[in-house]
Amino acid sequence: MTNNYHDSTSSLAELVREYARRIDRVNHEHAVDVLQDLDSGEPTIALGTGIFYAREDGIDVPPDMLAQTGRELDPEDGYALEAYRDLVKKSRAIA
């Protein structure tokens, strides 16, 4: 029997860590902020922080990572969803 909650949480945490790795190449302090949010036990907030900094720092986010991010967000995620939409628009403009 699989634990879908744990699988979902661990995949979300890995996604957040990937945002932090990419952000760290440009802005170490922003990457630390993302990881601190993750360490606080709030992976959804950490994802929102990662999306926000990726957008602000001009991070290249591959399409598969954007797709996974979209699957993790809910309509209630407010600023994270708005930052995600902006990030998708920027990614399409670059492509």
Side-chain angles (χ1 to χ4, degrees):
M1 188 169 177
T2 61
N3 183 340
N4 289 334
Y5 175 76
H6 181 266
D7 292 345
S8 173
T9 301
S10 63
S11 67
L12 176 56
E14 186 53 40
L15 178 62
V16 170
R17 285 187 199 94
E18 182 59 28
Y19 271 98
R21 279 190 287 272
R22 289 173 181 275
I23 292 165
D24 192 43
R25 295 175 191 156
V26 176
N27 190 321
H28 180 72
E29 291 172 3
H30 286 172
V32 168
D33 286 348
V34 172
L35 293 175
Q36 285 177 337
D37 284 351
L38 183 61
D39 288 345
S40 75
E42 295 290 342
T44 303
I45 290 172
L47 179 60
T49 304
I51 295 165
F52 177 79
Y53 284 141
R55 182 189 67 185
E56 293 302 305
D57 294 337
I59 304 300
D60 180 36
V61 180
D64 60 329
M65 192 171 161
L66 285 173
Q68 183 181 359
T69 301
R71 289 189 298 271
E72 296 289 350
L73 294 172
D74 291 321
E76 303 87 38
D77 288 330
Y79 88 93
L81 195 55
E82 183 179 326
Y84 168 74
R85 289 179 182 141
D86 288 346
L87 188 59
V88 169
K89 287 177 192 174
K90 285 183 178 182
S91 294
R92 288 183 182 155
I94 293 170

